[in-house]
Amino acid sequence: MFSYHLLLGSTSTLSMQCSIQECPFGCTFGFLAAIKCDGSWNMNSIRVGRQERVYEMTLKRTLQSICMLTVHPNTTTSVVLQVVGDDGSLLPCAINASCAALAFAGIPLKHLAVAIGCGVVENGGVILDTNTAEEQQLKSFAHLVFPSSRKVVGSKEPKQKDVEFERGLITSISHGVMSEDDYLNCIERGVAASSRISDFMRKTLQKEAASVAA
Amino acid sequence: MAEKTEPAAAAASRLAGEMEVEAYRRLFPLAFLERHLGESVRPDARRLSEARPTTVALGAVSSAHGSALVRLGDTAMLASVKLEVMSPPAESSDEAVEFHMPPICSPLVRPGRPADVAPVISKALEDVLMSSGMLNLKELCLISGKASWLAYLDICCLNADGSLFDAALISAVAAFTHLEIPLVSVGDDGRVFTVGGNEGKTKFELVNREKRKLTLGDIPFSLTCALHKDSILVDPTSEEESIIETYVTVVVDSSDRIVSIQKLGGTVTSMTAVKECISLAKERRRKLREILIDSVEVMEVDQTE
């Protein structure tokens, strides 16, 4: 059983992973974020509502598409997420955390899923990684998940300015009304940001792999 | 996965000549679908970019204030809107939009165990209806500060055959189009109650003059497309949805703005495919708008008769 704690600003999720029998992939989303900053908590938000079901289904389908589950037949891969703090961009944080947990657990993956939240501002600009205050003010925002960028290992040629092979999109969930151009803008910014996140993930995984091997 | 389907497809094509079509369809669903896609057609003889015939019937439930029965091919949805008077500030009605999938709709839904996809669709519907600005909530105000209408939208899936969200959204929109706010009066104890029938009009003092309909703003319409390698299949049936795990649902409103794009997992898709889906959704919106307007006309003709 492996656990991984991912902190994204003040939104943090704890992602654990273990295997059981029955159905091939399960996702559970525990919501501890009912506890607000001032120590009070709201009983109503503790019950598992529809928003958690939506997150569960999104996570399940996103992770199912990157895992190669046929390598472990007759087993269930179960991802349990516990929200420790929620300050916006909860779903991207959850996806990044569970992806890292799967990578640490050694489950074979096709590629990493890198998630980012983008918000559309009044003048058509795009802000990345929105927090709760921004999400409530913005008219529309989108959570996007891209495959991690590829890096050519040991290439002798100088860095070419991008053989921009099309990155593609794994998951996209949008809230609020936006124009088609705004949406495409979000995707562009998201792709750029996701390559930085995937570099960070790559470095972290390499460091951990080196320390484990040592 | 790729190397597994190669020998399967080769074996499938060998056996194709020898076995019946129905058996082939069950045993090798992917190969069956791909042979059709090779000819740019689908198992139910539709073209790739053709949606199933859609019918909308308003006023299906007589006890509700607004209702609609929508058929999208075999998928059938029944939506009803009921209004209730209550005094604001109402506690946040989380559950005002409810999408039910009773066991009648599909052999995959078992009694006692709610379908996985039902809460996801309810939440998505609620988000779309609220953010699209179709409903002006101020219209539901009755006596400012003291009483207002609370609308409950219930959508029941009668037959689940793919594109559930599309059908649910059309039925919700149609139910609101059909909605008529009933007449109300204030009783002796200060409570507001609904008044029906003609003698009611003269007996009680009415708060609102006449039954009226809501004015709807930008109406959202949606389209689900299944993406398989290079083909985009518009409005997939449940058989196609189970074979192709990747689909995009695009909701556009009348000014061609994107109200919502939902793509949950599945294979990595290129941006050109997503743009194609958006333009298909815009075309579909125009057709659906005509269908909705026609059904309203039909209902008005029925009422005047």
Side-chain angles (χ1 to χ4, degrees), chain B residues 20 61 84 101 103 108 125-126 156 169 184 208 238 289:
Chain B
E20 266 184 14
V61 177
E84 199 183 303
M101 276 185 77
L108 301 171
L125 268 171
E126 194 176 331
C156 190
L169 185 62
V184 287
N208 44 356
S238 55
R289 198 160 169 271

Side-chain angles (χ1 to χ4, degrees), chain A residues 87-174:
Chain A
D87 188 31
S89 278
L90 184 59
L91 190 62
C93 185
I95 294 180
N96 288 330
S98 30
C99 212
L102 286 170
F104 271 96
I107 305 283
L109 301 173
K110 291 182 198 146
H111 43 70
L112 287 179
V114 175
I116 183 86
C118 314
V120 176
V121 194
E122 259 96 73
N123 58 356
V126 172
I127 53 177
L128 296 176
D129 192 21
T130 49
N131 63 19
T132 317
E134 288 166 347
E135 271 177 13
Q136 279 165 356
Q137 277 178 352
L138 290 175
K139 219 170 40 128
S140 56
F141 57 92
H143 297 309
L144 304 166
V145 183
F146 301 99
S148 56
S149 62
R150 289 190 213 159
K151 189 172 168 183
V152 179
V153 173
S155 68
K156 299 241 172 57
E157 309 102 53
K159 270 203 214 139
Q160 313 138 322
K161 254 318 173 159
D162 286 316
V163 173
E164 257 301 309
F165 79 96
E166 179 99 33
R167 283 282 292 284
L169 186 68
I170 301 180
T171 299
S172 145
I173 304 199
S174 76

